[in-house]
Amino acid sequence: MNTINAQVTDTNHRTRGEMTIEVNFDQVGPLMVEHDGKTYSYTHKAGTNNKTGLAVREMATCDDARLWITLDGAQVWED
């Protein structure tokens, strides 16, 4: 796991600021993320953030909490 300082945005589109996350990458992007006390796994959904134009992956916990993260892990959007 790699420790990254990511810019986090909550579900109401408000910034939560920079937060430390743990990320495990595959050849393309994040495969597993530890954020805010939860472990998220890649759902195999990928796309582009409409606001930023950045490529992102969807991540989910076993309890179905979701987030979107850039391929470098630098930005997280809680869903």
Side-chain angles (χ1 to χ4, degrees):
M1 297 287 266
N2 299 294
T3 301
I4 295 176
N5 290 324
Q7 186 64 39
V8 179
T9 303
D10 72 12
T11 57
N12 295 313
H13 309 286
R14 293 182 298 232
T15 185
R16 291 187 66 193
E18 196 171 271
M19 299 177 74
T20 301
I21 62 173
E22 298 287 329
V23 185
N24 187 16
F25 292 93
D26 64 11
Q27 297 83 357
V28 177
L31 190 59
M32 184 178 296
V33 175
E34 290 181 11
H35 164 62
D36 213 15
K38 298 176 184 170
T39 301
Y40 295 80
S41 298
Y42 178 40
T43 64
H44 299 281
K45 288 184 184 178
T48 303
N49 180 288
N50 290 333
K51 185 174 181 180
T52 65
L54 297 171
V56 292
R57 283 185 165 181
E58 182 187 53
M59 313 291 284
T61 67
C62 59
D63 294 331
D64 206 33
R66 295 181 182 264
L67 60 79
W68 290 87
I69 186 169
T70 54
L71 299 184
D72 63 2
Q75 294 187 48
V76 172
W77 293 267
E78 298 172 339
D79 195 11

